[in-house]
Amino acid sequence: RVIHLNAAAAQLAPALRKNELAQFALRSPEIITALREAIATTEPRRATYLDHVPVDRWMELVITPVPVPTLFGGTDKCMLMTFHDLTPLRRVEEMRADFVANASHELRTPLAALSGFIDTLQGPARDDPRARERFLGIMHTQATRMARLIDDLLSLSRVELSAHVRPDTCVDLIPIIRQVADGLEPLARERQVVIEIQLPETPVMIAGDREELLRLFENLIENALKYGASGGRVIVSLKEAASGEGAPEIRVLVRDFGPGIAPEHLPRLTERFYRVDVGDSRLQGGTGLGLSLVKHILNRHRGRLLIESVPKNGATFTACFPQVKTPVAA
């Protein structure tokens, strides 16, 4: 039976109650086995397990028998259960492996192009001003692409590292979306696309990380401007709705009127480095990480991404966020 638990334990296992049996609240087989063994042997036990709710977390449990004095002068053996969250360490290990594999694969193409043009400029095109200007322009584009790729990989790594920690700051979505749209106005003019903003005048508050939300909307609106440019306009709107479970949520919709996306591609769009058209993506300066980053940011905010598209009739990307029920500390 539970004698005492601190706030962190109550947050980890909300079903834990004082004076009630621990195994009813701690349902992981690894925990129950370790606890029974510690009680039977009165020796310390250690166990690791994966907690799937609300997000995947790797935990380590240390059970230490502790003698506690009784009212009548004797002692009872109590079990001190200490939980350690190993998730940040595990995520760092996974990210290191993913980063090396992904970066080496994606950086090889622009690096090969840079090396080839450098060799050409040092050799056959050494005294050709026109070729030099053209090659330097291509080299600048490839270097910019590498820098953006590294920036996206680092952003993805940072979000994944804190995926199990939900943001607790209250932010207003309206100025964030407007800031992103204003910043992308030059790209819109270049692509001859009009960004239509349909947002309420009153604040719309959610629990969120401002910098991550800026990155999220930047990716969604920039994708619409690049891949839906032929439609001539992009609509960014906001509405209140209910999730599948009936919980109130805020939805931000980014709709383009471009060529749309074939149905077979929709389930895989948020995979790292997945592209509908590799050549077109690279031509547009895409890294293949934008929607993966969007998905991970939404996961951290306990939200979700909806993608709807009809070929030749544009696409709508919807970011859904839980509504703030009570004031959140700033």
Side-chain angles (χ1 to χ4, degrees):
R1 291 184 184 278
V2 179
I3 298 173
H4 173 76
L5 69 157
N6 66 3
Q11 188 176 19
L12 178 71
L16 277 174
R17 299 283 186 277
K18 283 184 72 171
N19 301 318
E20 292 186 10
L21 294 175
Q23 57 260 45
F24 290 157
L26 304 169
R27 297 185 177 275
S28 170
E30 294 89 347
I31 298 176
I32 304 303
T33 301
L35 185 56
R36 285 176 177 163
E37 288 178 357
I39 291 170
T41 63
T42 65
E43 292 179 357
R45 281 290 183 271
R46 189 180 293 262
T48 56
Y49 65 97
L50 179 59
D51 188 6
H52 291 287
V53 180
V55 293
D56 285 354
R57 290 200 296 186
W58 288 267
M59 305 295 297
E60 180 185 46
L61 166 64
V62 179
I63 304 176
T64 311
V66 178
V68 177
T70 64
L71 291 172
F72 306 105
T75 58
D76 267 349
K77 280 276 192 230
C78 293
M79 298 295 155
L80 174 64
M81 302 174 69
T82 311
F83 295 85
H84 300 276
D85 192 348
L86 303 180
T87 308
L89 293 175
R90 289 291 189 101
R91 290 196 188 282
V92 166
E93 291 169 11
E94 289 179 356
M95 284 188 298
R96 188 182 296 120
D98 285 349
F99 183 87
V100 171
N102 293 334
S104 61
H105 172 74
E106 286 294 319
L107 289 171
R108 190 172 288 121
T109 303
L111 272 175
L114 282 172
S115 298
F117 285 123
I118 289 169
D119 289 343
T120 306
L121 288 171
Q122 288 176 332
R126 183 193 301 270
D127 301 316
D128 186 340
R130 289 176 62 187
R132 187 165 61 241
E133 285 301 310
R134 189 166 69 88
F135 292 161
L136 284 172
I138 298 171
M139 290 166 70
H140 181 266
T141 301
Q142 295 293 342
T144 303
R145 184 180 153 210
M146 278 198 293
R148 178 160 186 172
L149 176 63
I150 292 167
D151 192 30
D152 279 355
L153 279 166
L154 290 174
S155 295
L156 194 54
S157 298
R158 281 192 292 269
V159 174
E160 286 182 326
L161 186 60
S162 56
H164 61 294
V165 182
R166 186 175 180 177
D168 59 1
T169 304
C170 212
V171 295
D172 182 3
L173 282 177
I174 306 302
I176 292 174
I177 298 169
R178 290 192 184 280
Q179 180 181 333
V180 171
D182 290 345
L184 289 171
E185 196 57 46
L187 177 64
R189 284 198 300 271
E190 179 190 316
R191 300 298 169 100
Q192 298 181 320
V193 179
V194 175
I195 304 177
E196 297 180 15
I197 305 293
Q198 301 174 1
L199 300 174
E201 296 298 322
T202 53
V204 176
M205 311 302 290
I206 67 164
D209 181 303
R210 190 174 187 280
E211 291 304 314
E212 288 183 7
L213 291 171
L214 282 168
R215 199 71 192 265
L216 181 153
F217 293 121
E218 184 180 275
N219 274 299
L220 288 181
I221 298 173
E222 187 175 339
N223 275 358
L225 291 174
K226 287 180 175 178
Y227 302 108
S230 60
R233 64 185 176 128
V234 167
I235 299 176
V236 182
S237 59
L238 184 148
K239 68 178 183 180
E240 295 184 12
S243 67
E245 292 77 37
E249 63 182 13
I250 302 296
R251 294 185 180 180
V252 180
L253 296 81
V254 179
R255 185 182 178 193
D256 68 67
F257 296 83
I261 305 160
E264 64 268 21
H265 294 296
L266 295 179
R268 300 192 60 191
L269 284 180
T270 57
E271 291 179 18
R272 288 184 184 201
F273 299 109
Y274 184 80
R275 297 176 173 97
V276 173
D277 183 329
V278 176
D280 185 41
S281 173
R282 286 181 174 161
L283 190 66
Q284 302 283 4
T287 62
L289 290 171
L291 288 178
S292 180
L293 186 57
V294 166
K295 183 188 78 170
H296 280 85
I297 291 172
L298 280 169
N299 285 348
R300 186 179 173 226
H301 286 71
R302 305 298 183 261
R304 58 205 178 100
L305 178 66
L306 306 178
I307 305 173
E308 302 167 88
S309 181
V310 177
K312 299 182 181 177
N313 199 28
T316 302
F317 289 79
T318 305
C320 307
F321 303 92
Q323 266 191 320
V324 176
K325 295 174 185 173
T326 55
V328 181

